[in-house]
Amino acid sequence: MTLSEEATTFSGEVGQRTFEATISALWHEGAHWYVIYACSAYEQNTDTERFSVGEITSESAPIGTPITLDCGLGITLTVRP
């Protein structure tokens, strides 16, 4: 994935779960980098239907350290600087 000045949205499947994530900002200041994102997940099987609604969230880490984005329902995404 290549990020630009515009928001980037991507989606995928993990087993019977699907997710959609939007990264709206990615930048660095000093020795840290930051990401603002929203991610949601959905799961449907024979008996149940579950979903996780993503709120806008921000995470940061020292430069060179990956950031984990939590989409809910056990789905996490790793963003590397």
Side-chain angles (χ1 to χ4, degrees):
M1 170 179 61
T2 302
L3 296 176
S4 65
E5 292 182 5
E6 298 189 22
T8 300
T9 299
F10 53 99
S11 59
E13 294 183 16
V14 179
Q16 294 182 320
R17 297 166 291 174
T18 59
F19 70 88
E20 181 172 294
T22 300
I23 295 179
S24 57
L26 180 67
W27 76 97
H28 68 87
E29 291 181 21
H32 285 78
W33 70 291
Y34 303 84
V35 62
I36 296 176
Y37 74 97
C39 188
S40 58
Y42 174 80
E43 177 180 44
Q44 181 177 12
N45 59 38
T46 309
D47 301 324
T48 61
E49 180 178 39
R50 301 186 311 159
F51 62 92
S52 166
V53 177
E55 297 182 14
I56 296 174
T57 306
S58 65
E59 298 289 343
S60 66
I63 291 178
T65 303
I67 293 177
T68 300
L69 313 182
D70 185 359
C71 295
L73 301 182
I75 296 175
T76 58
L77 307 172
T78 301
V79 179
R80 299 186 191 288

